[in-house]
Amino acid sequence: MPPTRLINTSTYALHKNVASPKYAILSHRWREPEVTFQQLDSTEWRTTNLFTQPMEKIRDACQKACERDPPLEWLWADTCCIDKTNNVELASALNSMFEWYFRAAVCYGYLYDVNWFAASRQISKSTDPERPGQESAWFERGWTLQELLAPKYMEFYDAGWNFMGTKEDLADLLHKRTGIAEQYLTGASNFKAASVATKLSWMARRTTTEIEDIAYSILGLLNMTMEIRYGEGVKAFMKLQRTLMESSTDESLFAWTTPTSGLACYRRDKHTPEFSPTHWGLLAPSPDCFGKSGDVVVLPDLYVPRLAGGYQWTQGGVQFQMPLKSGTEVTNFFGLPRKEVTLGLNCWRYGSDGKPHNMSIELLKNGNVYTRVKLEDLKPGSKPKTNKSLGVDQVLTRPLTICQPEFDSFT
């Protein structure tokens, strides 16, 4: 479905439920003051404020759309095309936004703090005096990740709306800044084939104004939807992972390590929360934990099916169904639970020998449950075990539960 509301690029008026529109879409860094839905929806406000600073970005984007051949009659911008006072509409928009960027005829990536010529063709170098020596704010935002990957065709413009190049033209520069492989940026390969760990690594160190948007801004990237509930803070990312477990068998979701620079996604007022526990669960507190997992892959030909549906979320944490026999990674020769377990995952990393190696994580038994230990390490290990005995599949399994701590201390 196309966006619910679109801006007419000649009159700047909002129109609802336009039939089969061809439209441009804007990707930008919000800066106060931005035009709101209530303002743009008012004929009196548009007439009075058409040439004011808040309308400048909308006017310039509309002008670019009108200059195309053939001209585009419609534009969508997240600042003023969503009634954010309507919770139902906002939730629907957040779950649909990736599709809206994908359907657009062109996406305009507007970098307000870049001067293409003064920066010697450095697309990521900010010329904002408030950000000396830093990169463009556009590259730090959570929402701009999906806005970079979703559009089929994208053009980049600097502060003066000077054309810098298309996404394909700038793929090498974008790759260096974002870590996203060039083939995903040029469209030579579909980024949806990347592992969950790889996708979440692209999100590492990005921030959003609302903490919950760390999760909501990557829904389309992970091809999923979920309930939108502002106010739950960092629990939103936890909920995203639990929801993803219900529909995905991609075990790279568990292939993360502790970040050396803290939970940068949650930094506020130059303060970055630390994260260096000795024990944790299988689910990460933020995408920052995947910063070093960009090269983790899933290989369907090597995938070992899990027993009894694999794994699931329980009140105690993530529960795996493991082989009920002796001499496995979970049980010793006598069939008793091991205190220390190396859990092999269905995800791989290519070694220096050019071959894929299974990733594994270390678990330590604590009562009836396990916790993950050695969080700084993600190492090669053995592949997941089957439940075959003398070549025959066994039905009985043994549950293995990995306790999952809460994240309230980061809110």
Side-chain angles (χ1 to χ4, degrees):
M1 295 290 291
T4 305
R5 295 186 184 85
L6 290 165
I7 305 168
N8 184 286
T9 54
S10 298
T11 66
Y12 310 111
L14 282 169
H15 291 252
K16 193 172 182 179
N17 298 327
V18 178
S20 304
K22 290 187 177 181
Y23 59 95
I25 201 164
L26 183 62
S27 174
H28 64 115
R29 170 70 170 92
W30 283 36
R31 298 179 73 203
E32 296 296 340
E34 293 282 357
V35 178
T36 67
F37 161 74
Q38 284 74 19
Q39 291 171 333
L40 197 62
D41 198 40
S42 166
T43 302
E44 180 181 356
W45 188 93
R46 289 198 312 274
T47 303
T48 306
N49 295 273
L50 182 58
F51 295 101
T52 60
Q53 189 271 329
M55 273 295 294
E56 183 177 3
K57 182 165 43 179
I58 300 299
R59 287 200 324 271
D60 290 340
C62 285
Q63 181 179 343
K64 288 296 178 185
C66 288
E67 291 173 354
R68 296 188 66 82
D69 185 18
L72 290 173
E73 187 178 359
W74 306 104
L75 173 78
W76 189 87
D78 54 356
T79 50
C80 52
C81 291
I82 304 171
D83 182 1
K84 299 177 183 64
T85 65
N86 184 323
N87 291 335
V88 174
E89 179 178 331
L90 177 60
S92 176
L94 296 184
N95 277 303
S96 304
M97 209 171 292
F98 185 92
E99 181 183 359
W100 293 348
Y101 276 87
F102 175 76
R103 286 175 171 269
V106 58
C107 177
Y108 295 134
Y110 175 64
L111 279 58
Y112 80 89
D113 57 349
V114 168
N115 185 315
W116 181 236
F117 301 105
S120 302
R121 294 178 58 81
Q122 295 186 54
I123 190 173
S124 66
K125 184 176 180 180
S126 177
T127 55
D128 187 334
E130 297 182 2
R131 301 174 56 83
Q134 298 183 53
E135 295 177 313
S136 171
W138 189 87
F139 289 97
E140 294 182 353
R141 306 306 293 172
W143 288 104
T144 56
L145 176 59
Q146 74 167 4
E147 293 166 12
L148 173 63
L149 285 165
K152 297 186 289 292
Y153 179 72
M154 186 172 188
E155 297 177 351
F156 284 90
Y157 292 87
D158 72 359
W161 283 91
N162 298 300
F163 177 66
M164 295 191 286
T166 66
K167 179 166 60 174
E168 187 171 0
D169 295 335
L170 302 170
D172 58 334
L173 300 177
L174 294 168
H175 160 68
K176 291 176 183 177
R177 173 55 188 85
T178 64
I180 302 172
E182 288 188 43
Q183 65 263 28
Y184 297 141
L185 295 167
T186 61
S189 298
N190 191 333
F191 78 87
K192 293 182 179 180
S195 71
V196 166
T198 297
K199 293 172 184 175
L200 292 177
S201 76
W202 301 335
M203 188 65 179
R205 299 195 63 79
R206 290 175 178 260
T207 63
T208 55
T209 301
E210 304 296 335
I211 289 178
E212 296 85 355
D213 285 338
I214 292 296
Y216 304 155
S217 64
I218 53 177
L219 291 175
L221 194 69
L222 298 170
N223 193 30
M224 59 181 290
T225 60
M226 62 185 279
E227 179 187 6
I228 305 300
R229 183 183 296 173
Y230 285 103
E232 60 186 356
V234 296
K235 291 182 179 180
F237 186 67
M238 176 70 162
K239 186 171 71 174
L240 177 141
Q241 294 174 89
R242 297 202 310 263
T243 304
L244 186 60
M245 286 173 54
E246 296 173 0
S247 60
S248 172
T249 58
D250 188 334
E251 296 181 20
S252 72
L253 176 64
F254 311 129
W256 56 271
T257 56
T258 48
T260 56
S261 301
L263 303 181
C265 284
Y266 301 139
R267 62 186 180 272
R268 292 291 184 275
D269 300 323
K270 299 182 180 179
H271 171 69
T272 299
E274 293 294 329
F275 180 70
S276 55
T278 56
H279 296 67
W280 201 252
L282 281 196
L283 303 184
S286 94
D288 299 301
C289 297
F290 293 87
K292 297 179 181 178
S293 301
D295 59 345
V296 174
V297 299
V298 288
L299 301 171
D301 292 343
L302 299 180
Y303 183 85
V304 177
R306 293 282 183 183
L307 304 171
Y311 50 84
Q312 62 179 341
W313 174 258
T314 69
Q315 288 185 344
V318 180
Q319 185 177 92
F320 281 78
Q321 296 298 327
M322 307 301 293
L324 183 61
K325 61 180 182 178
S326 60
T328 71
E329 68 263 59
V330 180
T331 55
N332 60 23
F333 178 78
F334 300 101
L336 299 175
R338 297 182 187 273
K339 183 174 180 60
E340 298 179 355
V341 170
T342 299
L343 181 64
L345 299 175
N346 271 308
C347 58
W348 295 262
R349 178 178 271 155
Y350 284 93
S352 57
D353 57 3
K355 297 180 180 179
H357 298 272
N358 275 89
M359 293 292 95
S360 66
I361 53 179
E362 300 294 321
L363 307 177
L364 183 66
K365 194 170 187 295
N366 183 12
N368 294 323
V369 299
Y370 287 82
T371 58
R372 184 181 168 191
V373 294
K374 300 180 182 179
L375 303 176
E376 73 286 349
D377 196 18
L378 187 64
K379 65 180 184 180
S382 59
K383 64 183 180 180
K385 299 293 191 297
T386 64
N387 206 27
K388 286 186 176 181
S389 180
L390 300 176
V392 178
D393 284 318
Q394 304 297 303
V395 177
L396 298 178
T397 61
R398 175 192 297 275
L400 180 148
T401 302
I402 299 97
C403 180
Q404 184 65 52
E406 290 289 339
F407 304 148
D408 290 345
S409 59
F410 301 119
T411 55

